[in-house]
Amino acid sequence: MTNLTPNSSFSVTLRLKIPNRVGMLASVTQAIALTGGNIGQIDLIEQNRHNSIRDITVDAASGEHGETIVNSVKELTDIQVINVYDRTFNLHEGGKISIASRIPIKTVSDLAMAYTPGVGRICQAIAQKPEEVYRLTIKQNTVAIVTDGSAVLGLGNLGPEAALPVMEGKAMLFKEFADIDAFPICLDTQDTEEIIRAVKNIAPVFGGVNLEDIAAPRCFEIEQRLQSELDIPIFHDDQNGTAIVTLAALLNALKLVNKSINQIRIVINGAGAAGIAVARLLRKAGAEQIWMCDSQGIISTNRTDLNPEKLEFAVKAQGTLVGATQGADVFIGLSKPGVLTPEMVKSMTKDAIVFAMANPIPEIQPELAPKNVAIMATGRSDYPNQINNVLAFPGVFRGALDCRSKVITSNMCLEAAKAIASLVNTSDLNREYIIPSVFDNRVASAVAAAVKQAARADGNAQA
């Protein structure tokens, strides 16, 4: 497999003592370059007549690659490595989020109104009219990010503590992109009934619940049950967020190759939570030929090992992923690194569309994609066309909270996808730009507006 591109998630900063002689700094940069590091910022910390102390930031492709780069510098004569900082670990020290008060408390009267005795009046008002909780507390702008740690990123069942950094990051994104106050709830249970009970018990505080990194098939029942038993929107981002952004990218990709969604054959590799949700939303958008594959091959009507979710997409065809890709128009990967070979892609149609979204290593490296691939997308930020859920979930919840929708429906997801796709102008659309940047400040508001309109059309809006 092609070497991965260095990126900031594996970046290190080396603090070096370098003699003030011609060529010494150049020897450092050459050593880094020869080991494949990508040099970023170089800061001069201190300098005298004899030596300079510099911080050099370097992106690596993996933890092991970072160690190789550092060792190559340590081997240089007269260069002293004072310290090495892992920038990602440094960023996470102490956690990434905090709670801040909206209202300053500087006087006795401030305290009397914000807390006892004045707060008692607010409690009584809510007890008499429960709907006032949305006006008088944080509930109207607060989301619980709930996980059991059973499917953390692509890393597997790591448990609740190890899932916390992801949930903190999610909370940051909610605040940054939609000004929503979200808080991580990492449950120390993987029992379906206990998870449902726990979420129902904390629901009075929150205006919505974002389920995250809960393994399939358990996640399907948890989402369905919570949505039917609570009166606030429930959204499993691994399912629905992925589906929204995938559909948005596909709609624009199909424009480029001049194909219609109802005439193409789509292969989805990976039949977990994300794969099933993507297939459902693509079908709602008009896709008629979807072949799903799991680790056992094509999800066929002849198989006896299928759960109800997989049975929804069982087809008459049988065989492996190799056979499924032959003549396919679109490949969507939500599976494992390296499972899609260049030979398999060559067997697809002309102007093939390949979304290889396994992270951090995709099903096929973009560098290996053959010439019949018209459009390539991945889940990585260092390649064009990143399929990233942050394009969806902040705006989806912003819209749902603003209109007080009790649910997030498939129609709301469909309209969210169309809104994201519409932000790429036809004149700007090209094979390396089918989806907006995650930093496009139009995205969350466009998605929120589409979600609110769909909620009102469905009769789910309460405000």
Side-chain angles (χ1 to χ4, degrees):
M1 176 169 289
T2 304
N3 289 332
L4 291 173
T5 304
N7 63 88
S8 57
S9 61
F10 292 105
S11 64
V12 294
T13 296
L14 295 87
R15 177 158 290 188
L16 307 176
K17 185 176 182 181
I18 305 171
N20 279 339
R21 298 200 303 268
V22 173
M24 296 305 293
L25 178 58
S27 70
V28 173
T29 58
Q30 184 179 29
I32 294 170
L34 289 173
T35 50
N38 187 10
I39 297 175
Q41 190 164 320
I42 300 177
D43 293 320
L44 178 64
I45 305 302
E46 184 180 317
Q47 189 173 42
N48 58 39
R49 207 156 56 96
H50 303 290
N51 299 291
S52 299
I53 295 177
R54 295 182 185 270
D55 280 353
I56 301 180
T57 298
V58 185
D59 287 352
S62 66
E64 294 77 10
H65 184 213
E67 290 178 10
T68 300
I69 293 167
V70 172
N71 288 334
S72 73
V73 176
K74 286 181 176 178
E75 291 172 0
L76 295 174
T77 305
D78 295 334
I79 303 297
Q80 181 184 346
V81 178
I82 299 173
N83 211 335
V84 178
Y85 309 90
D86 185 311
R87 296 177 66 223
T88 299
F89 271 83
N90 279 11
L91 182 146
H92 284 79
E93 285 190 8
K96 303 189 293 291
I97 60 173
S98 63
I99 294 175
S101 299
R102 290 180 56 243
I103 301 161
I105 298 176
K106 296 183 177 180
T107 66
V108 171
S109 61
D110 290 340
L111 182 60
M113 289 187 290
Y115 197 52
T116 185
V119 73
R121 296 178 57 210
I122 308 304
C123 298
Q124 289 175 320
I126 294 171
Q128 293 167 8
K129 190 177 179 182
E131 284 296 296
E132 286 289 86
V133 71
Y134 281 93
R135 185 175 72 88
L136 296 172
T137 74
I138 62 173
K139 185 179 178 76
Q140 48 85 27
N141 195 53
T142 307
V143 169
I145 306 170
V146 177
T147 188
D148 64 357
S150 60
V152 180
L153 303 176
L155 304 173
N157 189 348
L158 302 184
E161 291 89 354
L164 182 54
V166 179
M167 306 310 129
E168 285 186 9
K170 200 86 173 186
M172 289 177 65
L173 298 175
F174 267 112
K175 190 64 177 178
E176 181 68 26
F177 293 107
D179 198 26
I180 292 171
D181 298 312
F183 199 81
I185 307 292
C186 300
L187 300 175
D188 192 13
T189 178
Q190 296 185 359
D191 178 82
T192 297
E193 293 301 326
E194 287 189 3
I195 292 170
I196 292 170
R197 189 180 307 114
V199 175
K200 289 173 67 175
N201 285 340
I202 64 172
V205 178
F206 298 99
V209 174
N210 183 101
L211 300 174
E212 191 78 18
D213 290 351
I214 300 174
R218 183 170 64 254
C219 62
F220 299 116
E221 180 183 356
I222 291 170
E223 182 185 31
Q224 291 164 4
R225 289 267 306 279
L226 286 173
Q227 192 60 86
S228 66
E229 296 175 26
L230 290 174
D231 62 355
I232 56 175
I234 311 296
F235 186 79
H236 187 197
D237 186 51
D238 303 304
Q239 294 183 59
N240 302 310
T242 303
I244 289 168
V245 184
T246 300
L247 175 58
L250 183 59
L251 292 174
N252 281 340
L254 290 173
K255 291 178 187 176
L256 278 175
V257 298
N258 197 29
K259 294 180 181 181
S260 299
I261 195 168
N262 62 346
Q263 296 175 342
I264 59 171
R265 183 161 66 85
I266 302 167
V267 173
I268 299 176
N269 194 53
I276 294 294
V278 168
R280 286 172 174 166
L281 193 59
L282 293 183
R283 180 179 280 177
K284 184 171 181 64
E288 297 177 1
Q289 299 181 68
I290 299 174
W291 290 17
M292 294 195 73
C293 295
D294 60 11
S295 60
Q296 303 303 310
I298 297 171
I299 293 178
S300 170
T301 51
N302 291 324
R303 286 174 52 180
T304 59
D305 61 338
L306 303 179
N307 61 37
E309 289 76 24
K310 291 183 181 182
L311 273 172
E312 287 182 46
F313 298 96
V315 295
K316 291 181 179 179
Q318 302 178 61
T320 65
L321 178 61
V322 174
T325 54
Q326 291 178 7
D329 298 278
V330 176
F331 171 88
I332 296 174
L334 296 154
S335 51
K336 294 180 179 179
V339 296
L340 187 68
T341 67
E343 290 70 29
M344 292 160 67
V345 178
K346 287 177 184 176
S347 74
M348 296 175 66
T349 60
K350 180 186 176 184
D351 292 335
I353 297 170
V354 175
F355 291 178
M357 297 189 287
N359 240 336
I361 304 173
E363 286 80 0
I364 183 172
Q365 286 292 119
E367 295 89 345
L368 299 179
K371 292 182 179 180
N372 64 314
V373 175
I375 297 144
M376 180 90 194
T378 71
R380 292 174 60 104
S381 60
D382 50 351
Y383 291 109
N385 301 325
Q386 184 190 19
I387 309 291
N388 192 322
N389 290 15
V390 75
L391 290 166
F393 68 83
V396 168
F397 270 101
R398 181 74 278 158
L401 292 175
D402 286 350
C403 72
R404 293 269 310 279
S405 178
K406 292 184 178 181
V407 296
I408 294 172
T409 64
S410 59
N411 190 45
M412 292 159 76
C413 292
L414 178 63
E415 294 305 316
K418 291 178 180 178
I420 294 169
S422 72
L423 294 177
V424 180
N425 294 327
T426 304
S427 59
D428 297 327
L429 193 62
N430 64 69
R431 61 178 296 167
E432 294 193 346
Y433 182 48
I434 60 170
I435 197 83
S437 163
V438 297
F439 296 106
D440 187 331
N441 58 18
R442 302 172 299 164
V443 174
S445 57
V447 171
V451 165
K452 284 188 284 189
Q453 185 174 352
R456 293 189 175 104
D458 291 342
N460 293 317
Q462 300 180 84

